């Protein structure tokens, strides 16, 4: 089935795939990618939702808030990565010394979990804007009559949010889940490349980063191509989930 | 029930915090870029202007030892990539969508599914074959090699297809009665109708193109073809390699230069951009 793209001089059948899947490094990469995308999605979605709800409720200054909260959409991931890594960098020292003064032994260039923390933080920061935009559009799409009725039936604002508003945002939320997962898989390449290069010791290597490392730095084209195919299958699964869901959404 | 005004205060508190978190990094980068590398090395990050901004930006745009390419050249490359990507994508997707919606031709359905399949193949997935094809065509280090493989995806096609389907069929019939051919109808009626959508998609695609990273990284080994985003990476490597004094001001300044154009586009065309983003993605 798989076209070898004229790359492999010798046909090895499925050996590339078995090699990849049996490689413990690959397994840990898969696990990290999953963990990473869950963290990024969870935090950026919840923070964006919080901010969008607030902007939707305030009367003064909503426009200003909106502009400032959405500008980061346009920043390139590597730019965010560079600034972020310099903020935490031992070379610049400010945040680095601050965190260590609190008693942490923090160094994202040496310690795996610190590196993960920094990469997640920058990725969440970068992704906040787009989630914010979608949540706000979703909130503004809720008909005024529904909001009025909810206000009368349910005076407590927090309870009202969870029983009325949030269910109405369900389509937006699900859609954003898919988008954010894709983002964590693919778009974070630039952030990771500029903050940790997948290190220390592979602790922040995502699937895409590994394809790049193996194929273009390690010159293992076969293994890298096999990984690409596995990644593609994953994306297809995601898309199928998304489409089944969109079909359901039509009933709204 | 808390009092309305306390709630308002809490709301604004949350929003101000959020805004600060979003803006501070950019502010620090901007301010730090106006200091000398010595100051940055001794005192760390800066929160206030340092008075050396002019020198920094002159050095970046004109070129200096730590930069492989002067920034004017990189900005130009980024502009070519952003515009080329946006224009190419719009041309291809409008025409493809037009064919799919208005014409009955053999193999239309399989073709549609083929286009659809490209959606499942982000560039990262087809990176090795794409690279190989471009290398064989000897298009490495050229604008064509940089832009064309990126355009090959169906995101825009879908959207225009949906939009054209919402255009009433009577319009086409009326145009035919008046003797307009298919090309005429497309250019004189359909495109003007979709002008707001075109603009919105153009903005989004420009930003996406400008910020491309992985592909240019593999494609451009010749520093003349570096985009700003790649320049950031190269600058960062220079800093990490140590050597004498790390040029933090140059690194921050370059980041600012790379960020300003797409951010301006997004902020100025905020309304269009949001509309386009929310519409296309659904």
């Amino acid at each position: 089935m798989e076209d070898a793209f004229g790359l492999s001089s010798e046909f090895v059948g499925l050996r590339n795939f078995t090699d990849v899947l049996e490689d413990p490094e690959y397994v840990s990469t898969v696990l990290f990618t999953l963990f990473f995308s869950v963290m990024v999605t969870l935090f950026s979605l919840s923070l964006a939702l919080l901010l969008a709800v607030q902007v939707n409720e305030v009367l003064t200054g909503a426009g200003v808030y909106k502009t400032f909260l959405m500008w980061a959409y346009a920043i390139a991931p590597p730019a965010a990565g560079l600034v972020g890594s310099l903020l935490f960098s031992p070379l610049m020292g400010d945040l680095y010394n601050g965190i260590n003064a609190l008693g942490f032994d923090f160094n994202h260039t040496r310690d795996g979990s610190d590196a993960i923390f920094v990469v997640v933080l920058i990725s969440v920061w970068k992704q906040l804007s787009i989630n914010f935009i979608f949540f706000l559009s979703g909130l503004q799409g809720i008909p005024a009559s529904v909001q009025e009725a909810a206000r009368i039936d349910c005076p407590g604002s927090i309870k009202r949010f969870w029983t009325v508003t949030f269910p109405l945002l369900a389509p937006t939320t699900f859609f954003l889940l898919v988008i954010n997962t894709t983002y964590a898989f693919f778009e974070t390449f630039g952030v990771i490349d500029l903050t940790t290069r997948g290190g220390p010791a592979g602790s922040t290597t995502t699937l895409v980063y590994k394809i790049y490392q193996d194929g273009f730095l390690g010159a293992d084209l076969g293994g890298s191509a096999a990984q690409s195919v596995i990644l593609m299958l994953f994306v297809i699964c995601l898309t199928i989930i998304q489409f089944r869901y969109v079909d359901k959404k039509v009933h709204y | 029930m808390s009092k309305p005004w306390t709630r308002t205060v809490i709301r604004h508190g949350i929003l101000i915090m959020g805004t600060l978190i979003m803006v501070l990094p950019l502010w620090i980068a901007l301010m730090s870029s106006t200091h000398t590398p010595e100051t940055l090395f001794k005192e760390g990050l800066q929160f206030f202007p340092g008075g050396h901004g002019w020198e920094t930006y002159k050095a970046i745009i004109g070129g200096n030892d730590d930069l492989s390419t002067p920034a004017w050249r990189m900005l130009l490359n980024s502009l070519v990539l952003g515009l080329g990507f946006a224009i190419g994508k719009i041309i291809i997707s409008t025409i493809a969508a037009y064919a799919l919606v208005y014409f009955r031709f053999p193999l239309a359905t399989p073709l549609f599914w083929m286009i659809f399949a490209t959606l499942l193949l982000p560039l990262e997935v087809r990176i090795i074959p794409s690279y190989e094809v471009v290398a064989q065509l000897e298009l490495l280090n050229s604008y064509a090699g940089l832009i064309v493989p990126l355009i090959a995806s169906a995101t825009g096609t879908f959207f225009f297809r949906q939009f054209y389907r919402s255009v009433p069929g009577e319009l086409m019939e009326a145009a035919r009665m008046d003797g307009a051919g298919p090309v005429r109808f497309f250019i004189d009626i359909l495109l003007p109708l979709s002008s707001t959508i075109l603009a919105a998609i153009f903005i989004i695609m420009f930003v996406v193109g400008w910020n491309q990273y992985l592909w240019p990284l593999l494609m451009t080994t010749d520093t003349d073809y570096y985009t700003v985003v790649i320049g950031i990476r190269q600058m960062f490597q220079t800093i990490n390699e140590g050597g004498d004094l790390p040029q933090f001001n140059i690194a921050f300044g370059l980041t600012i230069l790379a960020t300003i154009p797409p951010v301006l586009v997004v902020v100025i065309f905020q309304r269009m951009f949001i509309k386009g983003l929310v519409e296309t993605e659904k």
Side-chain angles (χ1 to χ4, degrees), chain A residues 75-97 99 106-110 114-123 125-126 188-200 204, chain B residues 25-26 28-29 32 44-45 213 232-241 246 248 251-252 255:
Chain A
I75 194 173
L82 175 85
V83 174
S85 64
L86 283 181
L87 291 183
F88 284 101
S89 162
L91 289 171
M92 299 297 286
D94 290 72
L95 263 175
Y96 173 78
N97 295 338
I99 297 172
F106 180 90
N107 186 339
H108 77 271
T109 53
R110 298 224 183 88
D114 293 348
I116 292 173
F117 169 77
V118 170
V119 172
V120 169
L121 187 77
I122 297 171
S123 308
W125 181 87
K126 164 86 187 77
T188 50
F189 179 91
V191 173
I192 289 169
D193 194 39
L194 271 170
T195 38
T196 61
R197 302 241 187 110
T204 54
Chain B
L26 187 76
I28 292 173
S32 300
L45 303 166
Y213 182 64
I232 288 177
R233 175 181 205 253
Q234 184 259 332
M235 184 69 222
F236 187 64
Q237 284 177 328
T238 315
I239 283 182
N240 281 347
E241 278 158 17
F248 293 121
F252 280 127
T255 311

Side-chain angles (χ1 to χ4, degrees), chain B residues 263-276:
Chain B
V263 168
L264 274 185
V265 166
V266 162
V267 170
I268 291 171
F269 300 104
Q270 210 179 103
R271 221 163 260 265
M272 260 182 188
F273 157 77
I274 292 181
K275 182 177 164 35

Side-chain angles (χ1 to χ4, degrees), chain B residues 135-208:
Chain B
Q136 303 259 340
L137 291 170
E138 292 182 1
L139 285 173
L140 295 174
N141 291 315
S142 73
Y143 288 131
L146 200 56
I147 296 167
V148 174
L150 284 171
I151 293 176
S153 113
T155 36
T157 310
F158 266 91
F159 182 64
F160 282 113
R161 177 170 167 262
Q162 264 176 326
F163 179 79
Y164 293 160
R165 282 181 153 186
S166 71
V167 173
E170 288 83 356
L171 266 179
M172 189 187 60
E173 280 157 30
R176 271 170 113 175
M177 298 277 286
D178 293 340
V183 177
R184 187 73 204 246
F185 170 72
F186 179 63
I187 292 172
D188 281 356
I189 297 174
L190 212 49
L191 286 183
L193 271 179
S194 47
S195 59
T196 45
I197 300 297
L198 280 174
I201 292 197
F202 186 87
I203 292 165
I204 291 164
M205 293 300 173
F206 174 77
V207 173
V208 171

Side-chain angles (χ1 to χ4, degrees), chain A residues 5 7 50-51 53-55 57-60 63 65-80 82-83 85-87 91-92 94-95 125 128-130 133-134 137 155-157 160 172 175 179 186-187 189-190 193-195 197 208-209 211-212 215-216 221 224-225 228 231-232 235-236 239 242-243 249, chain B residues 1 7-8 10-16 18-19 21-23 25-26 28-29 32 40-41 43-45 47 116 119-122 124-129 131-132 158 204 207-208 210-211 213-214 217-218 229 232-233 235-237 239-240 246 248 251-252 255 258-259 262-264 266-267 270 273-274 277-279 281-282:
Chain A
F5 306 119
L7 295 183
L50 175 72
L51 290 166
V53 169
Q54 307 309 328
V55 167
E57 298 280 336
V58 297
L59 300 169
T60 43
Y65 289 134
K66 229 162 76 176
T67 305
F68 279 127
L69 289 169
M70 65 171 247
W71 76 268
Y73 169 84
I75 194 173
L82 175 85
V83 174
S85 64
L86 283 181
L87 291 183
L91 289 171
M92 299 297 286
D94 290 72
L95 263 175
W125 181 87
L128 255 179
S129 291
I130 193 166
I133 292 168
F134 274 98
S137 307
S157 70
R160 185 171 67 228
T172 313
F175 162 79
I179 290 285
F186 296 111
E187 318 264 311
F189 179 91
D193 194 39
L194 271 170
T195 38
R197 302 241 187 110
V208 171
Y209 203 78
I211 290 176
Y212 162 77
F216 289 92
L221 285 176
S224 184
S228 299
L231 184 61
M232 187 180 83
V235 178
I236 289 174
T239 315
Q242 194 178 359
F243 268 79
K249 212 179 85 175
Chain B
M1 279 298 278
R7 220 184 297 159
T8 311
I10 292 171
R11 285 220 162 90
H12 280 283
I14 293 175
L15 284 172
I16 288 165
T19 309
I21 289 170
M22 291 319 282
V23 177
L26 187 76
I28 292 173
S32 300
L40 291 169
F41 192 70
E43 301 171 23
L45 303 166
F47 290 81
F116 180 80
L119 274 183
L120 306 177
L121 295 167
E124 288 83 356
V125 169
R126 54 189 165 88
I127 197 107
I128 292 172
Y131 181 84
E132 212 40 44
F158 266 91
I204 291 164
V207 173
V208 171
W210 178 282
N211 288 340
Y213 182 64
L214 180 56
L217 180 69
L218 303 175
V229 181
I232 288 177
R233 175 181 205 253
M235 184 69 222
F236 187 64
Q237 284 177 328
I239 283 182
N240 281 347
F248 293 121
F252 280 127
T255 311
T259 305
V263 168
L264 274 185
V266 162
V267 170
Q270 210 179 103
F273 157 77
I274 292 181
L277 194 68
V278 175
E279 296 275 316
E281 298 277 17
K282 290 210 165 152

